[in-house]
Amino acid sequence: MSADDTIDPSRRDFLYIATGMAGVVGAGALAWPFIDQMRPDASTLALSSVEVDVSSLTPGMSLTVKWRGKPVFIRNRTPEEIEVAQKVSLNELKDPLARNANLTSDAPANDLDRSAGEGKENWLVMIGVCTHLGCIPLGQQGEYGGWFCPCHGSSYDTAGRIRKGPAPENMAVPVFSFISDTKIRVG
Amino acid sequence: MSGGHSTYTPKTGIGRWIDARMPLPRLVYDSFIAYPVPRNLNYAYTFGGILAIMLVAQILTGVVLAMHYVADTRLAFDAVEKIMRDVNSGWLLRYLHSNGASMFFFAVYIHIFRGLYYGSYKAPRELLWILGCIIYLLMMATGFMGYVLPWGQMSFWGATVITGFFTAIPLVGTWIQELLLGGFAVDNPTLNRFFALHYLLPFMIAGVVVLHVWALHVVGQTNPTGIEVKSKTDTVAFTPYATIKDGFAMLLFFLLFAWFVFYIPNFLGHPDNYIPANPLKTPAHIVPEWYFLPFYAILRAITFNIGPIDSKLGGVLAMFGAIAVLFVVPWLDTSKVRSAVYRPWYKLFFWLFVIDAIFLGWLGSRPAEGSYVAMAQVATLYYFAFFIVVMPVLGLIETPKRMPNSITEAVLAKNKGGAGHPAGATASPETKG
Ligand code: HEM
Ligand code: FES
């Protein structure tokens, strides 16, 4: 066998490296579909928007809709709730970012940027999932009058901002828009 | 103990024919009949056999349950109820399987504590120990995914919280979580893949068990003295001595198992899991199965940020760290003496650790508020200190007790006079080959 090596070592080296490379690249390329199939599939992604009629919500009322398997809280906030939330200064917040998918990622967590915006400050639309480990917080409870997560005790304020407990972030505001005065499209 | 030449001699023609072609009977004979084991093994050493039979039991009941189960979020809960009410003997099979999982974990915890007490992880058994840790990890994954299958409230919310751990990882966390879930929340794709994996993992466990036993048979068993086998008088043959002892222990273990299955089948479960999963309503109080509670307590004990690591990531790291630390135990323990029998201080810290682990388990079942949090923090601190401080430091400063020269000497000293002990213990192993 060693005779071959001495006669034409470069030929064997070439085969060795080429086979090895093809093996590595092939295995990698083949592994990807196995991982890729685990990601959310087309039908899951297709459920990506819901339309909600909010005409029946008077101030102080909320409703929950299911979007992408998660609850979305839509709340028509009372003037008092808005006022309390507006008074909070940014440096009192655990998470100073708005986490609002409709704004830039560095938008600050002031009350306006958490709400549906200028003229629609009373509307709060957010994914009702605790940013700690994913439980659903209970509305109008807890120390800050917003939401309270029973799982590990996180308290959110009336703008859905994390104020106390293990959760690291404010509850996320999904992409949404008012398609008419009384209709919201989430997603 | 290792590499002893085979004493198998096939007696029949067929036996010789097979032996020349594929010596499987020889392997079985050498591994489970003639195999020499230390003569002083106590009942703590019977849990390996118990674990093996529990794995077989879980696979048997599991495969039968799978014939009636449907992995679809609309049907899963009802399918399990159908097993309970309509399928002939279904209730028994399901209770055997759900309580069997608990028994399996109960046995593995004793097995692990046995290892920590007698220093079973020390050279040359590091790999054996690590393989055991891998089995334990796979068991945890299997148990977790199995608990999701009945699709009750605890199934759903347990899965939500546990997959939520991954979102703590910076940058790629959410991507990984969605990869595990196959969506943005626990849903049908999640249930389906968990069922596929729950079916697969026990067979992977079986594979690692083979490696575990292989490694065991290369280095041999430890024994309560921690002294290696030195001569033939230190050992007895696996059959009949260990087989009978293991068999008897299994019988007692099955009595306990049966007591759970027939008298208190839901004692270890959570009543909320008899409520169908509701993605829009979190139960007031989420708890995992009892065997995960100590780790759950550790997760929730980290309520503060540690430098750049926020409390959420910190909790997840501490929880995984509590398991990961087991893997490096062989290198953390610096003591030259293997067994706690000759280590008075280690013995004390060991039992404190056992109490600490049980205490953490209890804390994991309490809500994470008030003084429970502070207690969990203290208990978590000791959990890690036992491995990271006590193990390395104690090995250097502790004065061990005088050790006997051999297993035989230890046994004879214990049964002073010699005449008093049962014939089986001394029946000369030589005659057994
Ligand atoms: C390492 C071994 C195993 C462990 C620790 C284990 C654990 C579990 C647990 C904790 C449950 C939930 C029981 C309940 O609360 O209802 C479960 C359910 C289930 N397991 Fe396993 N399992 C194992 C092996 C298997 C195997 C090999 C199969 C074969 C397919 C299987 C099939 C099932 C099925 C169909 C269910 C759903 C029915 C039910 O909930 O009772 N399991 N398993
Ligand atoms: S999931 Fe809400 S506090 Fe942990």
Side-chain angles (χ1 to χ4, degrees):
Chain A
M1 342 149 62
S2 57
D4 266 3
D5 287 342
T6 44
I7 290 169
D8 194 357
S10 60
R11 183 162 158 264
R12 172 137 301 142
D13 283 354
F14 173 76
L15 285 175
Y16 177 69
I17 291 169
T19 311
M21 291 293 279
V24 168
V25 172
L30 204 57
W32 176 244
F34 281 81
I35 297 167
D36 192 35
Q37 57 80 27
M38 294 190 53
R39 295 166 58 223
D41 67 16
S43 69
T44 306
L45 294 171
L47 299 171
S48 55
S49 82
V50 284
E51 286 176 17
V52 200
D53 183 355
V54 294
S55 56
S56 61
L57 293 184
T58 56
M61 287 175 76
S62 321
L63 80 93
T64 304
V65 292
K66 204 169 149 190
W67 175 67
R68 291 178 154 187
K70 293 177 182 174
V72 170
F73 296 157
I74 300 178
R75 181 164 177 80
N76 190 346
R77 298 186 296 165
T78 62
E80 300 81 64
E81 286 175 344
I82 303 170
E83 206 188 307
V84 188
Q86 280 173 343
K87 282 215 189 95
V88 180
S89 76
L90 283 181
N91 49 30
E92 283 175 63
L93 296 173
K94 188 169 175 187
D95 177 14
L97 297 175
R99 309 282 170 193
N100 185 337
N102 307 284
L103 304 174
T104 54
S105 63
D106 58 354
N110 58 42
D111 189 64
L112 184 66
D113 284 352
R114 293 281 305 161
S115 73
E118 210 75 67
K120 291 211 181 316
E121 290 93 340
N122 55 325
W123 291 105
L124 182 64
V125 178
M126 61 186 184
I127 298 176
V129 171
C130 180
T131 58
H132 182 225
L133 296 171
C135 293
I136 299 179
L138 306 166
Q140 288 64 64
Q141 287 192 28
E143 250 171 84
Y144 295 87
W147 284 262
F148 176 74
C149 181
C151 287
H152 317 100
S154 290
S155 292
Y156 297 84
D157 67 12
T158 56
R161 296 173 296 198
I162 179 67
R163 301 299 293 276
K164 203 179 164 194
E169 291 178 11
N170 303 326
M171 276 191 264
V173 176
V175 172
F176 74 96
S177 57
F178 275 86
I179 44 179
S180 75
D181 273 351
T182 58
K183 255 200 170 159
I184 295 180
R185 180 170 50 218
V186 182
Chain B
M1 321 235 2
S2 56
H5 60 101
S6 178
T7 53
Y8 177 69
T9 34
K11 288 178 193 73
T12 60
I14 296 178
R16 278 187 291 277
W17 188 86
I18 294 177
D19 194 48
R21 285 158 180 81
M22 191 192 62
L24 183 63
R26 176 181 296 275
L27 183 70
V28 171
Y29 181 87
D30 291 341
S31 312
F32 301 105
I33 296 178
Y35 185 70
V37 296
R39 61 191 283 184
N40 58 339
L41 296 185
N42 58 28
Y43 278 102
Y45 284 82
T46 59
F47 282 86
I50 289 172
L51 283 163
I53 197 126
M54 285 313 296
L55 177 61
V56 174
Q58 285 305 95
I59 290 179
L60 283 179
T61 51
V63 169
V64 179
L65 285 172
M67 294 178 189
H68 304 278
Y69 177 77
V70 193
D72 180 311
T73 53
R74 289 162 306 177
L75 305 170
F77 186 87
D78 291 344
V80 173
E81 282 311 301
K82 199 164 169 291
I83 292 174
M84 295 301 288
R85 292 151 202 257
D86 297 349
V87 174
N88 299 320
S89 305
W91 63 273
L92 177 60
L93 292 163
R94 171 159 184 253
Y95 280 155
L96 283 173
H97 195 75
S98 59
N99 286 285
S102 285
M103 289 293 136
F104 199 1
F105 276 93
F106 175 61
V108 89
Y109 283 130
I110 296 187
H111 195 62
I112 294 173
F113 280 130
R114 188 284 319 264
L116 289 173
Y117 187 81
Y118 291 120
S120 304
Y121 46 81
K122 282 175 181 288
R125 295 182 184 79
E126 302 94 326
L127 259 186
L128 177 58
W129 174 263
I130 288 173
L131 287 166
C133 292
I134 292 172
I135 294 172
Y136 175 50
L137 267 186
L138 290 171
M139 277 175 66
M140 294 214 275
T142 310
F144 158 62
M145 289 194 259
Y147 197 59
V148 177
L149 302 184
W151 206 243
Q153 273 290 66
M154 280 300 158
S155 301
F156 183 92
W157 290 101
T160 299
V161 167
I162 292 182
T163 52
F165 294 163
F166 293 90
T167 59
I169 304 168
L171 304 178
V172 291
T174 309
W175 190 85
I176 294 179
Q177 188 209 23
E178 284 172 9
L179 191 78
L180 293 172
L181 296 177
F184 306 101
V186 176
D187 211 330
N188 204 45
T190 323
L191 179 60
N192 253 297
R193 66 192 52 187
F194 278 17
F195 181 49
L197 292 173
H198 184 69
Y199 208 133
L200 169 71
L201 290 188
F203 295 92
M204 295 185 55
I205 294 177
V208 185
V209 167
V210 170
L211 298 181
H212 189 69
V213 173
W214 182 10
L216 173 71
H217 283 195
V218 171
V219 293
Q221 273 173 287
T222 55
N223 64 85
T225 65
I227 303 165
E228 292 288 354
V229 167
K230 288 176 182 155
S231 69
K232 270 200 151 183
T233 61
D234 286 347
T235 64
V236 290
F238 192 92
T239 301
Y241 301 104
T243 357
I244 295 291
K245 193 163 190 155
D246 281 355
F248 183 61
M250 272 173 208
L251 199 83
L252 295 181
F253 191 80
F254 283 156
L255 282 178
L256 179 71
F257 186 7
W259 183 57
F260 273 95
V261 168
F262 292 109
Y263 291 97
I264 45 171
N266 289 305
F267 180 72
L268 297 168
H270 196 291
D272 277 13
N273 224 24
Y274 284 106
I275 302 171
N278 178 354
L280 296 184
K281 191 171 176 297
T282 305
H285 192 151
I286 298 179
V287 275
E289 297 106 296
W290 70 267
Y291 37 84
F292 295 138
L293 287 173
F295 302 106
Y296 197 53
I298 291 175
L299 168 84
R300 300 185 307 177
I302 311 297
T303 52
F304 42 86
N305 298 351
I306 310 161
I309 300 172
D310 68 27
S311 54
K312 175 173 165 182
L313 181 58
V316 171
L317 289 178
M319 188 192 63
F320 283 114
I323 301 161
V325 73
L326 289 173
F327 282 80
V328 289
V329 159
W331 295 276
L332 288 175
D333 185 353
T334 51
S335 173
K336 292 201 172 57
V337 176
R338 191 175 274 135
S339 166
V341 171
Y342 304 101
R343 299 184 60 192
W345 281 103
Y346 178 75
K347 199 188 261 181
L348 176 73
F349 284 108
F350 168 83
W351 286 112
L352 280 178
F353 176 72
V354 174
I355 294 166
D356 187 62
I358 295 170
F359 183 52
L360 275 170
W362 177 74
L363 287 169
S365 74
R366 305 285 96 201
E369 52 195 39
S371 54
Y372 294 129
V373 177
M375 287 192 273
Q377 287 167 344
V378 175
T380 301
L381 191 69
Y382 182 69
Y383 182 99
F384 284 103
F386 175 73
F387 291 108
I388 294 168
V389 181
V390 173
M391 280 200 161
V393 174
L394 209 55
L396 302 176
I397 61 175
E398 184 182 33
T399 322
K401 290 201 227 164
R402 199 196 71 83
M403 309 232 320
N405 292 316
S406 70
I407 296 173
T408 308
E409 189 187 301
V411 173
L412 294 181
K414 215 170 156 190
N415 304 315
K416 220 168 254 139
H421 60 260
T426 42
S428 50
E430 293 88 328
T431 57
K432 287 281 152 195

